[in-house]
Amino acid sequence: MDIDAIFGESRTVSIPTKSAIYVWGYNQSGQTGRKGKEGNLRIPKQLPPELFGCPAGGNSRWLDIACGREHTAAVASDGSLFTWGANDFGQLGDGTEKSWKHPKKVKSLQSEFVISVSCGAHCTAAIAEPRESDGTISTRRLWVWGQNQGSNYPRLYWGAFAPNTVIRQVSCGAVHVVALSDDGLLQAWGYNEYGQLGRGVTNEGLQGAHIIKGYAKFLDEAPELVKIVQVSCGEYHTAAISEKGEVYTWGLGSMGQLGHCSLQSGDKELIPRRVVALDGILVKDIACGGVHTCALTTKGTLYAWGGSQAGQLGLGPQTGFFSCKPSDSEVMFRNLPALVIPYGVKHVACGHSHTLVSTKDGRIQGWGYNSYGQAANEKCTYAWFPSPVDWCVGEVRKLAAGGGHSAVLTDACSLKELCEFILADNVTLSNASQIEDIASRTGSDALARLCERLREHLLNGGNCNSEDDDEFGF
């Protein structure tokens, strides 16, 4: 292949970095971002820069990606926020309730430099800094919109925090939101029927923001204040990591998603309580799904607990501790953390009923409910064990999982990775074997796997999509 034809205008002295967004799975509301395409997408597809107003072949870069129940949001390197998919509660932030099947820039935030985004079932939250900031002090502020957030446009929200509090992270659940300040405090608002706001009581109706002030380390000791460094909201439960690497959970625990041997209030835990089964294990990342939770340690070990009717724990359809056969009448859950992957995991994301991880060797693995292909390449309703997702090139920077769709943000930060991106854009059935051979001999494993999947896909009639069959135009 002609090298000039491959690189085109990108062949310069200084190789530019590049990143890509891949989205796949359920597409009822256009959340896979394919404009007029209606069908579900069973294989990851790279969203072209043109969809975001960038020129073809442009050096598009991405900072963050998030999936809600049926909508998606992405942050570009210039601080712009794009949203697409369902909008029945104003979660896209354009002031309307009209769904969009292709990315649109959130114009109300053009005066802000967006840093990160989180999507709930029907709401969205973003952390941003004013573009006119002199940069001498951090001014990371919280913006919220959609269901229960008081506006279909992004609105600045301090809640129980003092104005100008630096916001470190925000996470959205089904009907509640939790924000983390830079000094380690959590505030929560929304519905609290299952104690997911961590206030020690349940409430009816929409609740305003309050700072969580009690964390129970042991059952026989009074709760105390703990500094938090990360938080994640499930559908009706919440999990957080302390500065010591300890995991605290609260809210609904009916499917074991809190990781406790027993619960203090029926099927609920009303204040944050430490997961003692992880005692002595340093956790660096936490992710909550619909009724399951995953914890990633500093050593790359993955633990999971909670409901697994669809295989979202990755432990198979049956073990000695619980049964996950769909035909069983018994409750199918595990209420204590179980070891899923012993080492090598870098990132984890939990959707409603599926889980995604990326590993140090560059692989993406998924498991759980897979009716739309959101968890694995296999054509199966349930992926019971970690299964490969081999259609993405570049280094994985962020995973996102929603109600029935998934997204991955990857980067190319070297000449080799940039070559992989460009070659992937030019793969066809006629040259797939040649590119796969070159990729294998040069250690470009992701590109080699992509070529193999493509050949299988095209030779089998190209039926990877459940309702329509896109061309391989990534």
Side-chain angles (χ1 to χ4, degrees), residues 87-377:
N87 196 32
D88 44 342
F89 292 92
Q91 57 263 49
L92 299 189
D94 64 354
T96 76
E97 295 181 358
K98 178 183 178 182
S99 299
W100 291 98
K101 296 184 177 181
H102 59 93
K104 287 186 62 178
K105 185 180 293 188
V106 180
K107 296 181 178 179
S108 296
L109 288 176
Q110 289 188 117
S111 62
E112 298 285 315
F113 189 102
V114 179
I115 297 166
S116 64
V117 64
S118 176
C119 295
H122 308 293
C123 71
T124 310
I127 297 174
E129 293 183 342
R131 291 187 181 273
E132 296 181 357
S133 173
D134 59 11
T136 57
I137 59 172
S138 179
T139 53
R140 296 190 174 191
R141 311 186 296 181
L142 178 64
W143 298 79
V144 297
W145 61 96
Q147 186 183 41
N148 302 326
Q149 304 309 313
S151 178
N152 290 352
Y153 287 109
R155 72 182 184 97
L156 185 62
Y157 186 74
W158 296 112
F161 288 154
N164 300 319
T165 297
V166 177
I167 306 300
R168 178 170 181 166
Q169 188 201 352
V170 62
S171 183
C172 304
V175 290
H176 75 296
V177 183
V178 180
L180 171 64
S181 70
D182 204 41
D183 55 3
L185 295 177
L186 289 179
Q187 67 164 325
W189 65 96
Y191 284 86
N192 192 43
E193 66 273 46
Y194 300 109
Q196 60 264 44
L197 301 187
R199 300 180 180 179
V201 296
T202 59
N203 305 97
E204 293 184 2
L206 190 62
Q207 305 296 307
H210 286 276
I211 294 175
I212 298 175
K213 297 181 179 179
Y215 296 80
K217 289 191 173 185
F218 301 98
L219 290 178
D220 56 351
E221 293 184 4
E224 59 185 45
L225 189 61
V226 171
K227 184 175 182 179
I228 301 299
V229 296
Q230 190 189 346
V231 65
S232 178
C233 291
E235 191 163 25
Y236 298 108
H237 74 290
T238 313
I241 304 173
S242 75
E243 64 177 344
K244 295 181 179 180
E246 300 169 326
V247 175
Y248 290 81
T249 60
W250 61 98
L252 182 64
S254 58
M255 295 299 290
Q257 60 265 50
L258 300 185
H260 303 308
C261 291
S262 61
L263 300 176
Q264 297 301 298
S265 181
D267 60 354
K268 300 176 287 292
E269 197 71 39
L270 304 184
I271 64 171
R273 181 173 155 207
R274 188 167 66 97
V275 179
V276 295
L278 293 173
D279 189 31
I281 298 173
L282 296 179
V283 174
K284 71 171 185 177
D285 198 4
I286 195 81
C288 295
V291 293
H292 73 293
T293 308
C294 290
L296 178 60
T297 74
T298 55
K299 295 182 179 180
T301 304
L302 184 75
Y303 292 90
W305 59 94
S308 194
Q309 309 96 313
Q312 56 265 55
L313 298 188
L315 298 173
Q318 187 172 7
T319 74
F321 299 97
F322 70 103
S323 173
C324 287
K325 291 183 178 179
S327 59
D328 279 2
S329 59
E330 300 177 5
V331 176
M332 298 167 287
F333 69 90
R334 182 187 180 97
N335 63 348
L336 291 176
L339 175 65
V340 182
I341 300 177
Y343 58 87
V345 179
K346 291 183 67 177
H347 303 96
V348 60
C350 293
H352 182 271
S353 299
H354 71 290
T355 307
L356 297 173
V357 300
S358 66
T359 56
K360 292 180 180 179
D361 61 0
R363 304 298 297 267
I364 298 173
Q365 305 277 345
W367 56 89
Y369 190 60
N370 194 49
S371 183
Y372 313 110
Q374 67 266 43
N377 290 151

